Amino acid sequence: MLHILFPKECLICSKIGLWLCKKCQKKLVQTLPTCYICKSLSNKYCTHNGCLDKNSLNKITTIWKYNEYGKSLIHSYKYKHRFQVGDFLFSLIEDKLKTFDMKDSVLIPLPSHKMKILERGFSPTESMCELISEKYKIPVEKEIIFKKQNNTNQASLNYTEREKNVLNIFETEKDRVKNLAKYKQAIIVDDIITTGSTLNEINKVLKECVPEDFNVNALCIFQGIFRKNESQKSLQSDR
Ligand SMILES: [Zn+2]
Ligand SMILES: [Zn+2]
């Protein structure tokens, strides 16, 4: 009934029918497979051996570049039309996920602080994990990693500040993390990656409890553009 009174319309151009009309969907630009550390091309988004340091992830796969079109989708999903836009967003990425190696994996939603979850009424990364899990029959581990502090929004900070802002803000359920070793790899799911500081920090705390050869990867829907020593407030997502 509601959708008859308020029909879906394109978040960008207001065309009736879809949250992002076919024409505007074409403005979502696919990312090239790159290493998230040095940003140059790399096979299947793997981090180059020479770029890996002790906290970096083996790979961070992304789908689209974060632009105004992506921003409209993410903001609407997080703050306005949680279920409908969530399902729509998933329908857009569903096919692309088929090529992603998720065999014997476990999904871990990037944690939000409990105050943020209360404010929004849900965790966007958890909901996205549930959609992926249902479709591809991959387990999700939710109560495994927590954000201790409701830290400053990363979007307002520069590169160095971002690293400091996430330092030691996560804690884990150690016994549950140890249990992850029964899977081949853990895939942390997030909506947008910019510098990767948050993911590195999560990787650091997970690695304290799993065997050294256990793989921690990430899947992020959008890839933000971020130059060192610069804050790009306007286009970043809030967390
Ligand atoms: Zn449109
Ligand atoms: Zn590299």
Side-chain angles (χ1 to χ4, degrees):
M1 187 64 187
L2 258 181
H3 71 277
I4 300 168
L5 294 173
F6 302 103
K8 272 181 248 171
E9 57 177 47
C10 175
L11 295 163
I12 300 283
C13 72
S14 304
K15 185 175 180 205
I16 303 289
L18 296 169
W19 290 108
L20 206 57
C21 72
K22 291 280 179 200
K23 200 173 151 199
C24 291
Q25 279 179 36
K26 290 196 179 114
K27 302 285 171 119
L28 290 170
V29 183
Q30 224 165 307
T31 58
L32 291 171
T34 47
C35 156
Y36 81 103
I37 308 272
C38 70
K39 324 280 186 223
S40 29
L41 289 177
S42 117
N43 185 29
K44 295 181 177 169
Y45 296 88
C46 289
T47 309
H48 298 121
N49 281 337
C51 294
L52 277 171
D53 75 12
K54 66 180 192 332
N55 292 337
S56 35
L57 288 82
N58 299 84
K59 76 173 171 184
I60 299 183
T61 308
T62 56
I63 297 174
W64 297 300
K65 292 183 180 170
Y66 193 55
N67 60 13
E68 290 297 335
Y69 296 80
K71 186 181 176 182
S72 295
L73 278 174
I74 286 292
H75 276 236
S76 185
Y77 173 46
K78 283 182 165 177
Y79 303 105
K80 292 182 191 160
H81 307 286
R82 165 187 171 185
F83 294 110
Q84 293 190 33
V85 175
D87 288 350
F88 177 70
L89 194 53
F90 182 69
S91 74
L92 294 181
I93 64 171
E94 208 179 331
D95 275 354
K96 303 185 193 300
L97 293 179
K98 279 185 200 146
T99 59
F100 190 48
D101 173 26
M102 295 195 281
K103 201 169 171 272
D104 303 322
S105 303
V106 57
L107 302 171
I108 301 178
L110 191 119
S112 307
H113 190 264
K114 57 180 186 298
M115 288 308 290
K116 269 272 182 279
I117 297 176
L118 275 176
E119 233 173 83
R120 289 198 187 113
F122 81 117
S123 155
T125 52
E126 241 179 65
S127 298
M128 201 41 74
C129 279
E130 277 158 14
L131 290 169
I132 300 171
S133 169
E134 200 178 306
K135 174 81 189 186
Y136 293 100
K137 310 287 173 245
I138 300 157
V140 186
E141 284 281 356
K142 290 181 206 162
E143 308 282 317
I144 201 163
I145 180 155
F146 303 91
K147 202 170 178 183
K148 289 189 278 190
Q149 297 161 29
N150 200 1
N151 61 338
T152 310
N153 177 1
Q154 291 281 81
S156 59
L157 306 174
N158 71 27
Y159 196 93
T160 323
E161 289 167 339
R162 282 174 186 234
E163 281 189 337
K164 280 193 200 142
N165 189 41
V166 293
L167 198 64
N168 303 323
I169 62 162
F170 295 106
E171 65 184 343
T172 55
E173 279 288 343
K174 299 226 170 355
D175 287 338
R176 301 189 69 162
V177 176
K178 280 182 195 146
N179 249 327
L180 292 179
K182 67 182 176 207
Y183 302 103
K184 192 183 84 182
Q185 61 177 354
I187 303 170
I188 304 166
V189 175
D190 195 9
D191 52 358
I192 170 167
I193 173 186
T194 45
T195 62
S197 315
T198 310
L199 288 166
N200 288 346
E201 190 63 23
I202 288 179
N203 188 31
K204 185 181 92 183
V205 293
L206 289 178
K207 289 276 181 173
E208 285 166 8
C209 306
V210 289
E212 209 168 303
D213 60 352
F214 183 76
N215 256 336
V216 179
N217 298 328
L219 166 68
C220 301
I221 302 173
F222 291 100
Q223 179 190 69
I225 308 148
F226 196 90
R227 291 170 200 92
K228 283 204 176 189
N229 307 319
E230 192 182 315
S231 110
Q232 291 198 329
K233 197 168 182 175
S234 63
L235 261 184
Q236 302 312 314
S237 160
D238 320 84
R239 168 156 294 109

